[in-house]
């Protein structure tokens, strides 16, 4: 099969649907290519239940990537809606200083603020009300108020600093409102938009007139001729497609049998996520009974409250910690007789990388996040402070009367390292900028190529102090505006 289009967008995940919608609405001829299935617009029978249920994370359409000899799973969704169809649906945007610090034209806080305003509306973000607060979250609200935390009520405020409050969410009823529902559904009937699902993009090459994209659909080769290729295949998918196309660090490419086409050593580098640990305590009997009773109503969100705190490492007086209670003891999303308070360093300095392991597009990559490996020990020090704060909340009578003893030991740096996990927010593998490791310019255009643009969270030079779903959607909007 072959097909030509003015724009081929790879990745129907979070940023991809935004790009497809905006370009199609502008009358451009668009093909959106997604490796996973497209279950159709919201309301179509057949949408898997877990993809709709916002009370817990979905895992059914995962790419299955792991690292650290199997110690960590690196969840990424392979389905229309991408990670926005799997995620916790917590909506946050970070602080204005995050965007200003990038120093990139078009990406300052003043530039992105109006885009975020539209994004928050289109993704149907709202904030939980006090009346909705379920047990444990309710107790933590009471404890933090008594401990003197400022009470906050909006995570999508670029000017907001530290405080504790109910979370903002992109949930409609009990449904996780993914980016495909929000952006693709209104344009699905446009004749100039084609969605090619279950189609895995392998690689591409630039030609004098455009870009030839090689993909596979149900075992059959698919060739797409694009005027412009937009890569929105996510923080792992986007660098892998670039590397299979011969764009990356020449030595690393040759080592896996790829002939280098363009030397861009930053492809796959600068990989970072916010490291976290789950400080946990045994659930008291009465709390367990309350949780069971709330669960019986069918509405028991794992996450519902969140604190933003300033650690001793903060140099700008702004929060660098997320401290949030969870009704899930670990990444199995089961209680196991425990409740947790997660602490995460949201300004990580550690950097890792991702590389293809072979030329096979289905082969799993080598992912090395190098959590807590920054030389200055910044990320570990931030977590240390967060653990103190989590224990203060647990020890306050409003919570202490509902929980038992501590379960996991965090008394030493080794113990913290042994328990470090991630926040599901990897970014940065095709970063914007002008330094030698930059991959794209501020319009997302890959340095050295004329018709290939990146349009997802791979672009972020440094993660914002936030969850990354709203920023991913904003990125789709931002890059689409440079293409129309
Ligand atoms: C379990 C989990 C929980 C999370 N919780 C939250 C949360 O509560 N709040 C929050 O703000 N953020 C959360 N995040 C993070 C957030 O969802 C992501 O940062 C964001 O969705 C990333 O968007 P993206 O467009 O960059 O990539 P994705 O959404 O991953 O989209 C990339 C798409 O490209 C497709 N693709 C990849 N490679 C290819 C290829 N070769 N060919 C064709 N298609 C390809 C993928 O299948 C996918 O659909 C969570 C993420 C996960 C995984």
């Amino acid at each position: 099969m072959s097909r030509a289009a003015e724009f081929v967008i790879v990745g129907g995940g979070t940023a991809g649907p935004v790009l497809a919608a905006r370009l199609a609405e502008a009358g451009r001829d668009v093909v959106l290519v997604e490796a996973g299935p497209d279950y159709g617009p919201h309301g179509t029978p057949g949408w898997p239940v877990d993809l709709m249920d916002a009370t817990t994370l979905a895992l059914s359409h995962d790419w299955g990537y792991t690292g650290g000899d199997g110690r960590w799973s690196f969840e990424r969704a392979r389905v229309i809606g991408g990670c926005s169809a799997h995620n916790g649906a917590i909506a946050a945007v970070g602080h204005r200083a995050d965007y200003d610090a990038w120093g990139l034209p078009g990406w300052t806080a003043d530039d992105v603020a109006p885009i975020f305003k539209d994004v928050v509306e289109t993704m149907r973000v709202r904030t939980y009300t006090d009346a909705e607060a379920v047990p444990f979250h309710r107790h933590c609200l009471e404890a933090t108020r008594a401990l003197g935390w400022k009470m906050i009520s909006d995570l999508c405020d670029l000017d907001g600093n530290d405080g504790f409050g109910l979370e903002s969410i992109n949930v409609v009823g009990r449904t996780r409102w993914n980016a495909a529902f929000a952006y693709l559904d209104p344009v699905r009937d446009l004749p100039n938009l084609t969605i090619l699902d279950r189609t895995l993009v392998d690689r591409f090459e630039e030609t004098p007139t455009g870009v030839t994209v090689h993909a596979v659909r149900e075992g059959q080769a698919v060739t797409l001729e694009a005027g412009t290729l937009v890569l929105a295949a996510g923080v792992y998918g986007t660098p892998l497609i670039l590397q299979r196309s011969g764009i990356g660090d020449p030595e690393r490419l040759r080592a896996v049998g790829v002939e280098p086409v363009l030397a861009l050593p930053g492809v796959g580098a600068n990989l970072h996520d916010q490291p976290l640990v789950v400080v946990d305590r045994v659930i008291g009997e009465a709390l367990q009974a309350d949780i069971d009773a709330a669960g019986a109503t069918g509405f028991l969100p794992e996450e519902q409250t969140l604190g933003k705190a300033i650690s001793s490492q903060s140099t700008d007086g702004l929060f660098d910690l997320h401290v949030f209670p969870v009704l899930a003891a670990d990444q199995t999303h089961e209680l196991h007789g425990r409740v947790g308070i997660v602490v995460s360093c949201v300004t990580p300095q550690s950097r890792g990388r991702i590389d293809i392991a072979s030329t096979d597009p289905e082969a799993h990559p080598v992912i090395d996040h190098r959590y807590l490996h920054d030389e200055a020990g910044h990320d570990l020090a931030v977590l240390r402070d967060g653990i103190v704060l989590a224990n203060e909340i647990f020890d306050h009578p409003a919570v202490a009367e509902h929980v038992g003893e501590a379960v996991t030991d965090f008394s030493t740096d080794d113990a913290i390292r042994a328990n470090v996990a991630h926040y599901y927010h990897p970014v940065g593998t095709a970063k914007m900028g002008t330094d030698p490791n930059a991959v794209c310019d501020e319009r997302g255009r890959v340095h050295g190529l004329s018709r290939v643009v990146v349009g997802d969270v791979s672009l972020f030079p440094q993660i914002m102090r936030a969850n990354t779903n709203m920023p991913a959607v904003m990125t789709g909007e931002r890059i689409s505006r440079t293409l129309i």
Side-chain angles (χ1 to χ4, degrees), residues 11 13-15 34-35 63 78-79 83 87-90 201 233 424 467-469:
T14 309
E34 167 54 45
W63 283 78
R78 182 172 178 157
V79 64
C83 291
N87 70 17
I90 309 307
V201 169
Y424 305 108
N467 316 55
T468 44
N469 197 37

Side-chain angles (χ1 to χ4, degrees), residues 168-185:
S168 304
I169 47 167
N170 51 294
V171 174
V172 177
R174 290 177 186 178
T175 301
R176 176 186 294 104
W177 205 249
N178 68 51
F181 293 158
Y183 287 87
L184 270 191
D185 283 5

Side-chain angles (χ1 to χ4, degrees), residues 277-296:
V277 291
V278 187
V279 180
D280 50 359
R281 299 269 172 113
V282 169
I283 305 182
E285 269 178 42
L287 177 56
Q288 181 68 65
D290 286 350
I291 289 172
D292 291 344

Side-chain angles (χ1 to χ4, degrees), residues 382-407:
V382 176
L383 286 187
R384 249 188 249 125
D385 288 358
I387 291 164
V388 172
L389 292 174
N391 281 319
E392 275 174 18
I393 299 171
F394 268 130
D395 290 340
H396 187 274
V399 177
E401 66 174 296
H402 301 285
V403 298
E405 70 273 20
V407 182

